[in-house]
């Protein structure tokens, strides 16, 4: 029996979701929202939610190397969507420490996770190296690699991956900011 080697990438993969909940609590506490910042945050976060939804409707995790839809432009559209959502949250919070925290989390958690996932994909899918050579890791390249951007979106995959949780979570976070704003405004009077 072999035991898995505990690397930072593996630890980061395990703690990223629970750490997100802890970060959310600190986020609400540190945030200093205004109605304008919440509106701007929503406008920034919405394309990230959309990108995650579209990506989830294309990816067949562990079954095939997905190269269609947003995966023709970036190897990690789900993470790119998360970054965009996080930027929206940072704008909505109006707090520099939140922005710093988001940046630290990205470099400390998501970059190692992305590298770890790419190592897995490289080992499982023989065509990954060629795909990685054509498609950037995170920031999209236009036009799509080999014109392979067009493919059918699957509602079944979207539901299977429960990507609606990104929408629900984003709306809940913005509502929490709105409630904080209402509460702090009323408590001043």
């Amino acid at each position: 029996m072999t035991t898995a080697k505990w690397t930072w990438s593996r630890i980061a993969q395990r703690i990223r979701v629970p750490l997100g909940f802890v970060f959310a609590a600190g986020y609400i506490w540190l945030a200093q929202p205004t109605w304008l910042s919440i509106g701007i945050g929503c406008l920034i976060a919405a394309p990230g939610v959309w990108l995650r939804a579209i990506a989830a409707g294309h990816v067949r995790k562990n079954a095939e190397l997905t190269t269609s839809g947003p995966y023709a432009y970036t190897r990690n559209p789900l993470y790119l969507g998360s970054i965009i959502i996080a930027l929206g949250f940072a704008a909505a919070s109006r707090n520099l420490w939140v922005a710093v925290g988001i940046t630290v989390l990205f470099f400390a958690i998501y970059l190692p996770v992305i590298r770890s996932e790419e190592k897995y994909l490289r080992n499982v899918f023989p065509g990954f190296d060629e795909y990685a050579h054509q498609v950037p890791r995170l920031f999209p390249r236009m036009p799509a690699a080999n014109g392979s951007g067009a493919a059918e979106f699957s509602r079944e995959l979207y539901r299977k991956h429960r990507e609606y949780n990104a929408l629900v979570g984003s709306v809940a976070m913005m509502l929490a900011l709105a409630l904080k704003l209402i509460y702090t405004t009323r408590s001043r009077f």
Side-chain angles (χ1 to χ4, degrees):
M1 178 188 288
T2 61
T3 56
K5 186 176 167 184
W6 283 97
T7 63
W8 177 246
S9 295
R10 188 168 164 84
I11 293 168
Q13 230 166 355
R14 299 268 185 190
I15 67 170
R16 68 183 169 171
V17 173
L19 190 60
F21 286 109
V22 172
F23 185 79
Y27 170 84
I28 295 298
W29 181 63
L30 290 171
Q32 301 168 341
T34 64
W35 292 115
L36 180 61
S37 74
I38 293 171
I40 290 169
C42 287
L43 288 174
I44 294 170
V49 172
W50 174 83
L51 179 57
R52 286 191 57 91
I54 296 301
H58 282 272
V59 68
R60 299 181 194 288
K61 294 180 181 178
N62 302 319
E64 68 182 38
L65 179 61
T66 305
T67 60
S68 64
Y71 290 89
Y73 301 91
T74 173
R75 298 193 308 259
N76 293 285
L78 289 166
Y79 291 124
L80 179 58
S82 293
I83 290 167
I84 295 168
I85 293 167
L87 290 173
F89 288 168
S93 76
R94 288 185 54 238
N95 186 299
L96 179 62
W97 291 110
V98 168
V100 168
I102 287 170
T103 303
V104 168
L105 278 178
F106 173 74
F107 284 107
I109 301 294
Y110 284 101
L111 279 183
V113 169
I114 288 170
R115 287 188 188 116
S116 175
E117 288 178 0
E118 287 188 350
K119 182 178 178 184
Y120 167 79
L121 293 171
R122 188 169 278 110
N123 290 331
V124 173
F125 300 108
F128 182 79
D129 283 330
E130 181 182 337
Y131 169 67
H133 181 70
Q134 295 176 356
V135 179
R137 175 177 279 155
L138 196 59
F139 298 106
R141 180 176 66 197
M142 302 293 182
N146 296 327
S148 59
E152 185 99 9
F153 171 82
S154 168
R155 286 189 190 116
E156 293 77 28
L157 285 173
Y158 172 81
R159 284 191 294 271
K160 176 185 173 189
H161 299 311
R162 298 188 308 262
E163 193 53 43
Y164 48 81
N165 287 326
L167 174 62
V168 171
S170 296
V171 169
M173 191 62 79
M174 294 301 181
L175 284 174
L177 287 180
L179 289 173
K180 179 177 182 172
L181 179 59
I182 291 168
Y183 174 76
T184 56
T185 303
R186 287 188 179 170
S187 65
R188 288 185 204 152
F189 297 107

